[in-house]
Amino acid sequence: MKFIKMHGTGNDYIYMDCFKEKVEHPEVLAVKLSNRHKGIGSDGLVLIQPSDFCDFKMRMFNADGSEAQMCGNASRCVGKYVYDSGLTTKTSLTLETKAGIKRLQLYTQGGKVMSVKVDMGEPEVQSVNHRVNFSPEEFAITCISMGNPHAVLFMSSIDDLLLSDIGKRIEYHPMFPERTNVEFIEILSPEEARMRVWERGSGETQACGTGACAALVAGVINGLLDRKAVIHLLGGDLEVEWSREDNRVYLTGDAVRVFEGEWVDEN
Protein backbone atom coordinates (compact mmCIF):
# COMPACT_ATOMS: atom_id res chain seq x y z
CA MET A 1 0.00 0.00 0.00
CA LYS A 2 1.64 3.20 -1.19
CA PHE A 3 1.70 6.29 1.02
CA ILE A 4 3.13 9.78 1.16
CA LYS A 5 4.43 11.53 4.26
CA MET A 6 3.73 15.27 4.44
CA HIS A 7 3.69 17.97 7.07
CA GLY A 8 2.13 21.37 7.58
CA THR A 9 4.12 23.44 10.08
CA GLY A 10 5.57 20.23 11.51
CA ASN A 11 2.15 18.61 12.00
CA ASP A 12 2.97 15.37 10.14
CA TYR A 13 0.51 12.88 8.70
CA ILE A 14 0.59 9.83 6.45
CA TYR A 15 -1.53 10.37 3.33
CA MET A 16 -3.22 7.67 1.28
CA ASP A 17 -4.43 8.41 -2.24
CA CYS A 18 -7.77 6.57 -2.26
CA PHE A 19 -8.13 7.20 -5.98
CA LYS A 20 -5.46 4.47 -6.25
CA GLU A 21 -5.49 2.62 -2.92
CA LYS A 22 -8.23 0.75 -1.09
CA VAL A 23 -7.93 1.35 2.64
CA GLU A 24 -9.83 -0.96 4.98
CA HIS A 25 -10.18 -0.35 8.71
CA PRO A 26 -8.39 3.03 8.69
CA GLU A 27 -8.86 3.39 12.46
CA VAL A 28 -6.68 0.29 12.97
CA LEU A 29 -4.19 1.25 10.26
CA ALA A 30 -3.75 4.72 11.77
CA VAL A 31 -2.48 3.22 15.03
CA LYS A 32 -0.01 0.93 13.25
CA LEU A 33 1.35 3.53 10.86
CA SER A 34 1.58 6.37 13.38
CA ASN A 35 3.84 4.45 15.77
CA ARG A 36 7.17 6.26 15.62
CA HIS A 37 9.19 3.15 16.52
CA LYS A 38 7.35 0.27 14.84
CA GLY A 39 5.54 2.11 12.07
CA ILE A 40 6.17 5.05 9.77
CA GLY A 41 5.65 7.64 12.48
CA SER A 42 3.11 10.46 12.35
CA ASP A 43 0.37 12.39 14.12
CA GLY A 44 -2.19 10.32 12.24
CA LEU A 45 -3.55 9.06 8.93
CA VAL A 46 -5.29 11.09 6.21
CA LEU A 47 -7.35 9.59 3.38
CA ILE A 48 -7.72 11.59 0.16
CA GLN A 49 -10.98 10.50 -1.48
CA PRO A 50 -13.41 11.46 -4.23
CA SER A 51 -16.40 13.57 -3.18
CA ASP A 52 -19.95 13.68 -4.47
CA PHE A 53 -20.24 17.47 -4.09
CA CYS A 54 -16.71 18.90 -3.62
CA ASP A 55 -13.48 18.68 -5.58
CA PHE A 56 -12.07 16.23 -3.02
CA LYS A 57 -12.84 14.65 0.34
CA MET A 58 -10.60 14.28 3.37
CA ARG A 59 -10.98 11.81 6.23
CA MET A 60 -8.46 11.86 9.04
CA PHE A 61 -7.65 9.59 11.94
CA ASN A 62 -5.58 10.48 14.98
CA ALA A 63 -2.63 8.42 16.17
CA ASP A 64 -4.91 6.56 18.59
CA GLY A 65 -7.30 5.57 15.79
CA SER A 66 -10.09 8.02 16.64
CA GLU A 67 -11.55 9.92 13.69
CA ALA A 68 -11.23 13.71 13.79
CA GLN A 69 -13.57 16.21 12.19
CA MET A 70 -10.98 18.51 10.65
CA CYS A 71 -7.32 19.53 10.55
CA GLY A 72 -6.17 22.80 9.02
CA ASN A 73 -2.59 21.61 8.52
CA ALA A 74 -3.69 18.36 6.88
CA SER A 75 -6.12 20.14 4.56
CA ARG A 76 -3.27 22.30 3.24
CA CYS A 77 -1.25 19.15 2.50
CA VAL A 78 -4.21 17.60 0.71
CA GLY A 79 -4.31 20.69 -1.50
CA LYS A 80 -0.63 20.33 -2.29
CA TYR A 81 -0.89 16.62 -3.03
CA VAL A 82 -3.82 16.79 -5.44
CA TYR A 83 -2.28 19.68 -7.37
CA ASP A 84 1.32 18.46 -7.44
CA SER A 85 0.18 14.94 -8.39
CA GLY A 86 -1.93 16.18 -11.31
CA LEU A 87 -5.31 15.24 -9.84
CA THR A 88 -6.39 18.83 -10.50
CA THR A 89 -5.17 21.95 -12.28
CA LYS A 90 -7.34 24.24 -10.17
CA THR A 91 -5.77 26.54 -7.59
CA SER A 92 -9.09 27.18 -5.84
CA LEU A 93 -10.58 24.00 -4.41
CA THR A 94 -13.44 22.78 -2.23
CA LEU A 95 -12.72 20.05 0.29
CA GLU A 96 -15.32 17.88 2.00
CA THR A 97 -14.58 17.22 5.69
CA LYS A 98 -16.56 15.99 8.68
CA ALA A 99 -16.59 19.64 9.80
CA GLY A 100 -18.20 20.80 6.56
CA ILE A 101 -16.89 22.17 3.28
CA LYS A 102 -13.55 23.99 3.39
CA ARG A 103 -12.24 26.22 0.62
CA LEU A 104 -8.55 26.12 -0.27
CA GLN A 105 -6.55 28.73 -2.16
CA LEU A 106 -3.30 27.25 -3.47
CA TYR A 107 -0.20 29.42 -3.97
CA THR A 108 2.20 27.86 -6.47
CA GLN A 109 5.77 28.40 -7.57
CA GLY A 110 7.47 26.48 -10.34
CA GLY A 111 4.41 24.30 -10.82
CA LYS A 112 4.33 23.19 -7.17
CA VAL A 113 2.19 24.32 -4.24
CA MET A 114 4.26 26.21 -1.67
CA SER A 115 1.55 27.42 0.69
CA VAL A 116 -2.21 27.23 1.09
CA LYS A 117 -4.87 29.54 2.54
CA VAL A 118 -7.82 27.71 4.05
CA ASP A 119 -11.25 29.17 4.76
CA MET A 120 -11.82 27.49 8.12
CA GLY A 121 -15.40 28.72 8.49
CA GLU A 122 -17.11 30.62 11.29
CA PRO A 123 -16.02 29.93 14.86
CA GLU A 124 -18.48 28.96 17.57
CA VAL A 125 -17.75 30.60 20.92
CA GLN A 126 -18.86 28.25 23.68
CA SER A 127 -17.46 29.86 26.84
CA VAL A 128 -15.19 32.79 27.68
CA ASN A 129 -12.64 32.95 30.50
CA HIS A 130 -14.47 30.22 32.42
CA ARG A 131 -12.66 29.01 35.54
CA VAL A 132 -12.49 25.22 35.89
CA ASN A 133 -10.78 23.00 38.45
CA PHE A 134 -8.62 20.45 36.67
CA SER A 135 -7.26 19.04 39.95
CA PRO A 136 -5.04 20.21 41.46
CA GLU A 137 -4.88 23.43 39.38
CA GLU A 138 -7.66 25.77 38.41
CA PHE A 139 -7.47 27.46 35.01
CA ALA A 140 -9.50 30.02 33.11
CA ILE A 141 -10.39 28.55 29.74
CA THR A 142 -12.09 29.88 26.64
CA CYS A 143 -13.82 27.16 24.61
CA ILE A 144 -14.07 27.55 20.85
CA SER A 145 -15.34 25.16 18.20
CA MET A 146 -13.76 25.26 14.75
CA GLY A 147 -15.81 22.23 13.74
CA ASN A 148 -13.85 20.40 16.44
CA PRO A 149 -13.51 21.32 20.13
CA HIS A 150 -10.77 23.52 21.63
CA ALA A 151 -10.00 24.72 25.13
CA VAL A 152 -7.70 27.77 25.06
CA LEU A 153 -5.61 28.80 28.07
CA PHE A 154 -3.56 32.03 28.27
CA MET A 155 -0.34 31.92 30.29
CA SER A 156 2.65 34.17 30.99
CA SER A 157 5.04 31.42 29.85
CA ILE A 158 4.50 28.08 28.10
CA ASP A 159 8.06 26.75 28.02
CA ASP A 160 8.06 24.68 31.21
CA LEU A 161 4.62 23.09 30.90
CA LEU A 162 4.46 19.30 31.20
CA LEU A 163 1.83 18.80 28.52
CA SER A 164 1.77 15.02 28.89
CA ASP A 165 0.25 15.63 32.33
CA ILE A 166 -1.79 18.81 32.13
CA GLY A 167 -2.89 18.32 28.51
CA LYS A 168 -4.23 14.86 29.14
CA ARG A 169 -6.08 15.94 32.31
CA ILE A 170 -7.87 18.71 30.41
CA GLU A 171 -8.56 16.54 27.34
CA TYR A 172 -10.30 13.91 29.47
CA HIS A 173 -12.08 16.26 31.90
CA PRO A 174 -15.78 15.35 32.39
CA MET A 175 -16.88 18.71 30.98
CA PHE A 176 -15.66 17.45 27.58
CA PRO A 177 -17.61 14.22 26.95
CA GLU A 178 -16.04 13.89 23.48
CA ARG A 179 -12.64 15.07 24.79
CA THR A 180 -11.01 18.28 23.58
CA ASN A 181 -7.92 19.78 22.00
CA VAL A 182 -6.03 22.10 24.35
CA GLU A 183 -4.06 25.23 23.38
CA PHE A 184 -1.60 26.92 25.73
CA ILE A 185 -0.97 30.50 24.59
CA GLU A 186 1.69 33.07 25.48
CA ILE A 187 0.89 36.55 24.14
CA LEU A 188 3.89 38.43 22.71
CA SER A 189 2.00 41.39 21.24
CA PRO A 190 -1.46 42.06 19.77
CA GLU A 191 -0.11 40.67 16.50
CA GLU A 192 1.92 37.72 17.78
CA ALA A 193 1.53 34.78 20.12
CA ARG A 194 3.34 31.56 20.97
CA MET A 195 1.41 28.32 21.23
CA ARG A 196 1.86 24.76 22.39
CA VAL A 197 -0.89 22.29 21.66
CA TRP A 198 -2.16 19.02 23.08
CA GLU A 199 -4.21 17.36 20.36
CA ARG A 200 -7.08 15.09 21.21
CA GLY A 201 -6.04 11.55 20.35
CA SER A 202 -2.44 12.40 19.41
CA GLY A 203 -0.84 14.20 22.36
CA GLU A 204 1.53 17.14 21.96
CA THR A 205 2.16 17.95 18.30
CA GLN A 206 4.31 20.46 16.45
CA ALA A 207 1.28 22.44 15.30
CA CYS A 208 -2.50 22.45 15.04
CA GLY A 209 -4.25 24.57 12.41
CA THR A 210 -7.71 24.54 13.95
CA GLY A 211 -6.04 25.16 17.31
CA ALA A 212 -4.24 28.25 15.99
CA CYS A 213 -7.59 29.53 14.68
CA ALA A 214 -9.27 28.87 18.03
CA ALA A 215 -6.38 30.63 19.79
CA LEU A 216 -6.77 33.77 17.67
CA VAL A 217 -10.54 33.89 18.20
CA ALA A 218 -10.10 33.40 21.95
CA GLY A 219 -7.41 36.08 21.99
CA VAL A 220 -9.65 38.58 20.21
CA ILE A 221 -12.58 37.87 22.52
CA ASN A 222 -10.39 38.30 25.59
CA GLY A 223 -8.89 41.56 24.27
CA LEU A 224 -5.40 40.10 23.88
CA LEU A 225 -4.95 39.77 20.10
CA ASP A 226 -5.84 41.69 16.96
CA ARG A 227 -8.06 40.00 14.39
CA LYS A 228 -4.99 39.15 12.32
CA ALA A 229 -1.91 37.66 13.96
CA VAL A 230 1.01 35.28 13.54
CA ILE A 231 0.93 32.21 15.79
CA HIS A 232 4.38 30.76 16.51
CA LEU A 233 4.33 27.00 17.06
CA LEU A 234 7.01 24.40 17.65
CA GLY A 235 6.90 23.47 13.95
CA GLY A 236 6.83 26.99 12.52
CA ASP A 237 4.48 29.92 11.99
CA LEU A 238 0.85 30.16 10.92
CA GLU A 239 -0.95 33.32 9.78
CA VAL A 240 -4.51 33.54 11.08
CA GLU A 241 -7.19 36.15 10.36
CA TRP A 242 -10.72 36.42 11.76
CA SER A 243 -12.47 38.52 9.15
CA ARG A 244 -14.88 41.26 10.22
CA GLU A 245 -16.62 41.14 6.85
CA ASP A 246 -17.82 37.53 6.86
CA ASN A 247 -16.97 36.32 10.39
CA ARG A 248 -14.86 33.52 8.92
CA VAL A 249 -11.38 32.47 10.02
CA TYR A 250 -8.62 32.15 7.43
CA LEU A 251 -5.49 30.07 7.96
CA THR A 252 -2.35 30.35 5.83
CA GLY A 253 0.74 28.17 6.09
CA ASP A 254 3.13 25.82 4.35
CA ALA A 255 2.58 22.33 2.96
CA VAL A 256 5.66 20.13 2.64
CA ARG A 257 6.20 16.78 0.97
CA VAL A 258 8.65 14.71 3.04
CA PHE A 259 8.89 11.28 1.42
CA GLU A 260 6.84 8.49 -0.10
CA GLY A 261 7.00 4.74 0.18
CA GLU A 262 5.11 1.48 0.40
CA TRP A 263 3.70 -0.03 3.61
CA VAL A 264 3.89 -3.81 3.90
CA ASP A 265 2.14 -5.20 6.96
CA GLU A 266 3.95 -8.34 8.09
CA ASN A 267 2.00 -8.70 11.34
Side-chain angles (χ1 to χ4, degrees):
M1 185 178 296
K2 293 183 179 179
F3 69 89
I4 182 168
K5 178 77 175 288
M6 305 181 74
H7 81 82
T9 326
N11 196 190
D12 62 333
Y13 288 93
I14 297 156
Y15 295 78
M16 296 284 188
D17 181 347
C18 295
F19 289 84
K20 300 176 182 177
E21 303 288 345
K22 183 178 180 180
V23 179
E24 297 181 347
H25 308 296
E27 68 283 352
V28 176
L29 188 62
V31 176
K32 288 184 177 182
L33 298 185
S34 298
N35 189 298
R36 295 190 183 273
H37 298 287
K38 297 181 179 180
I40 299 167
S42 72
D43 292 329
L45 172 67
V46 175
L47 307 183
I48 303 171
Q49 302 175 320
S51 171
D52 292 332
F53 49 88
C54 288
D55 293 309
F56 298 95
K57 178 180 178 179
M58 176 180 82
R59 288 185 70 194
M60 61 168 300
F61 297 82
N62 296 313
D64 69 352
S66 59
E67 187 168 5
Q69 292 99 331
M70 171 58 184
C71 175
N73 295 321
S75 63
R76 296 200 311 276
C77 289
V78 169
K80 178 176 176 62
Y81 176 81
V82 297
Y83 184 89
D84 289 4
S85 300
L87 292 178
T88 184
T89 58
K90 298 165 64 174
T91 55
S92 181
L93 302 174
T94 55
L95 182 65
E96 178 187 349
T97 76
K98 289 182 72 69
I101 298 173
K102 306 302 175 185
R103 299 183 182 278
L104 281 57
Q105 181 64 48
L106 314 181
Y107 300 106
T108 64
Q109 181 177 325
K112 302 291 184 181
V113 172
M114 304 305 292
S115 65
V116 180
K117 181 178 183 179
V118 185
D119 176 354
M120 301 290 285
E122 295 187 50
E124 179 185 340
V125 180
Q126 299 172 325
S127 67
V128 178
N129 205 27
H130 177 56
R131 298 202 69 84
V132 180
N133 190 323
F134 291 102
S135 183
E137 304 98 337
E138 182 177 277
F139 296 107
I141 64 171
T142 296
C143 294
I144 307 291
S145 173
M146 291 301 308
N148 58 353
H150 295 272
V152 182
L153 293 75
F154 295 99
M155 299 183 162
S156 58
S157 175
I158 60 174
D159 290 322
D160 297 328
L161 294 174
L162 184 61
L163 260 63
S164 59
D165 173 38
I166 185 175
K168 181 173 285 189
R169 279 192 279 121
I170 297 174
E171 176 189 356
Y172 284 92
H173 191 274
M175 74 176 292
F176 304 114
E178 296 182 353
R179 298 184 290 161
T180 189
N181 302 285
V182 192
E183 285 75 37
F184 302 87
I185 310 300
E186 178 183 337
I187 301 296
L188 302 178
S189 76
E191 298 176 343
E192 282 186 285
R194 296 178 64 217
M195 171 176 138
R196 290 177 66 187
V197 59
W198 179 267
E199 288 203 59
R200 177 181 59 169
S202 293
E204 184 172 15
T205 61
Q206 293 281 297
C208 176
T210 54
C213 294
L216 179 84
V217 172
V220 172
I221 291 170
N222 284 281
L224 301 171
L225 287 173
D226 292 342
R227 296 184 76 95
K228 185 175 183 179
V230 175
I231 309 297
H232 304 290
L233 304 109
L234 296 179
D237 296 344
L238 290 171
E239 298 177 10
V240 188
E241 180 178 6
W242 185 13
S243 172
R244 292 183 185 275
E245 284 73 23
D246 57 13
N247 197 43
R248 304 178 78 83
V249 181
Y250 295 89
L251 173 74
T252 304
D254 64 0
V256 180
R257 189 177 186 130
V258 182
F259 64 88
E260 56 187 277
E262 186 171 359
W263 168 261
V264 179
D265 192 352
E266 297 183 347
N267 297 323

